[in-house]
Amino acid sequence: MLSFLAILLVSAASLIGVQAQLTGHVGPTTSLSSKSHICNVLDYGGSIGSSDIGPAILSAFNNCVTKTSGSTLYVPAGKYNMKTWVTLNHGSKWAFRMDGFITRTATTGGHMVVIQNAADFEMYSANSLGGFQGNGYQCRNAGPRFLRIVTSTDWSVHDLIMVDSPEFHLVVQGGSNGEVYNLMIRGADIGGSDGIDISGTNHWVHDVSVTNRDECVTIKSPAHNILVENIWCNQSGGSAFGSLGVGTDISNIVYNRIYTNGGNQAMMFKSNGGSGSVSNVLLQNFISRSTAYGLYINQYWASMSPLAGSGVKLSNIKFQNWNGNVNNDQRPPIALICADTAPCTGITLDNVNMWSLTGKPVYRCESAFGSGVGCIRSGSPSGYAVVNVTPTRPAGYSTPSTMPGDLSAGFPAGASIPVP
């Protein structure tokens, strides 16, 4: 679906080798060909054009998938409505082939589909036409999320379309050895429309396009050894770490080849108080065009209430090979606002070329220690007040390249969003 994305991003970025943070194998441990026992929802009470395909999905899972190892739950091509949400719990060596396109018709909260405690699992569309239509404009931030993968191991989700969830689109909660790729996500130009939120261990997210006004691909705690690459945040809120709270536990994360067209930020670390740590992070080969914020750490983020704790400790975070601009002079292209009671350490900017379309940028730091930008400090970490510097245009900065399909604006929150 999105194989072109990696090619374009590779050609647009100045690349160096990536030290991938994965610790081993990701995805299913057996092939799709070994999951040949078909559990067709049409044989379990479903029909093409059904007013509620939910019960048939659940029946096919309970009465077929869980009875026979090596099964594939199959939703054939066609259009279906859904008003009964399903939790598919346990099961090993199975697949969910979703060639049909499912539209939400109920406003019940929760998730339309939850995959929980699965092992050796794959959810995909063989025709790249399967997925979800949420018509979120009808119940904005008051209906279900699409898909949640909970504490599952050796799994993948790929080649699906997700359009206008009333709330989040894909949530990965814990688990290990997951792979997410070839997804097209189209959400509304409004908060609460998260693309992918991910936690867990040893996951790989790649070749994904997200349009929305909240998270593009965002790391949630706890998270370890996660690789995110070849991401197109196309009029999106942008990627992030957080919100970071009490007991944050995140380490060994790589983002590589991230292209952000418009939206909120290229990358943000967001917290307000809290505790714990984020360490050993590489953010490499970023291109961003006309975002509100650029490279942004804010540990006094006003959009969340202050939490107990002296602040989340950020350490050994490297930004490398960035080229981008912001669209205003009120928000710095580079802002490293760290907690005075938990200063950031080991913050490194290497070949980071961030500018403002107004030609009047300011770089801003507070309690940040490291190298690579004029406002940052070296030496023993301690809290210090905001320092602003007025930079000259970086010698390495150039007008960021574009990609075919770049949107000039997001999709309105009060109208239907077209299916790609």
Side-chain angles (χ1 to χ4, degrees):
M1 182 188 296
L2 293 173
S3 58
F4 69 90
L5 182 58
I7 296 171
L8 288 170
L9 286 174
V10 167
S11 65
S14 173
L15 303 182
I16 69 172
V18 178
Q19 295 178 342
Q21 292 299 318
L22 299 176
T23 58
H25 168 85
V26 297
T29 55
T30 60
S31 66
L32 278 174
S33 62
S34 69
K35 304 175 176 77
S36 58
H37 181 74
I38 302 302
C39 303
N40 192 326
V41 294
L42 304 186
D43 297 327
Y44 290 87
S47 60
I48 295 175
S50 169
S51 61
D52 186 11
I53 196 62
I57 292 174
L58 187 60
S59 179
F61 179 76
N62 288 336
N63 296 301
C64 184
V65 171
T66 61
K67 306 295 185 183
T68 305
S69 179
S71 291
T72 291
L73 196 164
Y74 180 39
V75 178
K79 295 183 179 180
Y80 306 82
N81 290 336
M82 186 171 177
K83 60 184 178 181
T84 301
W85 313 154
V86 298
T87 295
L88 310 181
N89 194 17
H90 296 291
S92 63
K93 193 180 177 183
W94 70 285
F96 188 162
R97 178 177 167 181
M98 187 173 168
D99 290 351
F101 198 67
I102 297 176
T103 296
R104 172 209 60 81
T105 57
T107 58
T108 312
H111 298 77
M112 291 177 67
V113 176
V114 176
I115 307 295
Q116 186 167 304
N117 301 317
D120 185 14
F121 164 75
E122 187 161 357
M123 182 173 183
Y124 71 105
S125 173
N127 60 7
S128 295
L129 298 175
F132 299 94
Q133 166 63 272
N135 287 325
Y137 72 97
Q138 298 172 343
C139 55
R140 186 67 62 201
N141 291 328
R145 304 170 184 185
F146 280 159
L147 177 63
R148 192 177 196 100
I149 309 295
V150 181
T151 54
S152 296
T153 58
D154 303 315
W155 58 271
S156 67
V157 172
H158 59 95
D159 292 286
L160 293 171
I161 300 168
M162 299 183 177
V163 179
D164 199 15
S165 177
E167 297 198 49
F168 303 172
H169 291 80
L170 172 61
V171 178
V172 177
Q173 180 183 334
S176 61
N177 309 335
E179 183 177 9
V180 176
Y181 62 100
N182 285 3
L183 298 188
M184 177 70 77
I185 297 175
R186 284 187 168 183
D189 191 22
I190 192 172
S193 57
D194 297 24
I196 299 175
D197 293 337
I198 186 165
S199 64
T201 301
N202 198 49
H203 295 319
W204 184 21
V205 181
H206 61 98
D207 298 286
V208 171
S209 173
V210 178
T211 299
N212 60 357
R213 193 56 58 179
D214 214 313
E215 317 293 357
C216 183
V217 179
T218 287
I219 302 294
K220 302 290 187 178
S221 180
H224 305 282
N225 301 98
I226 292 178
L227 174 60
V228 179
E229 60 183 349
N230 299 339
I231 306 299
W232 187 6
C233 304
N234 191 8
Q235 292 295 336
S236 167
S239 294
F241 286 69
S243 302
L244 306 174
V246 175
T248 294
D249 182 17
I250 297 174
S251 66
N252 300 323
I253 309 296
V254 169
Y255 276 71
N256 180 45
R257 295 192 297 268
I258 310 300
Y259 176 70
T260 304
N261 169 51
N264 292 356
Q265 76 270 341
M267 172 57 73
M268 182 179 184
F269 292 75
K270 49 187 177 180
S271 63
N272 194 345
S275 60
S277 66
V278 178
S279 63
N280 301 329
V281 174
L282 174 61
L283 305 168
Q284 180 175 252
N285 300 319
F286 275 60
I287 298 173
S288 58
R289 300 178 59 251
S290 192
T291 55
Y293 299 92
L295 186 164
Y296 192 30
I297 294 175
N298 188 345
Q299 294 199 272
Y300 296 99
W301 192 44
S303 293
M304 64 183 293
S305 299
L307 301 175
S310 58
V312 177
K313 179 68 174 177
L314 307 183
S315 64
N316 193 22
I317 297 172
K318 186 171 188 177
F319 303 87
Q320 187 170 50
N321 297 343
W322 283 49
N323 187 67
N325 55 49
V326 298
N327 57 17
N328 63 92
D329 54 18
Q330 289 78 40
R331 294 162 175 158
I334 299 174
L336 308 173
I337 308 301
C338 300
D340 294 336
T341 51
C344 302
T345 59
I347 307 299
T348 303
L349 281 67
D350 175 18
N351 192 32
V352 172
N353 303 292
M354 298 296 292
W355 194 239
S356 172
L357 291 175
T358 68
K360 299 183 290 184
V362 171
Y363 296 163
R364 182 170 298 152
C365 299
E366 177 179 351
S367 301
F369 288 80
S371 63
V373 64
C375 59
I376 204 166
R377 291 187 180 179
S378 59
S380 299
S382 60
Y384 64 84
V386 171
V387 173
N388 293 315
V389 298
T390 302
T392 58
R393 175 171 164 150
Y397 172 79
S398 61
T399 301
S401 54
T402 62
M403 284 179 39
D406 277 350
L407 297 172
S408 60
F411 295 107
S416 178
I417 295 175
V419 176

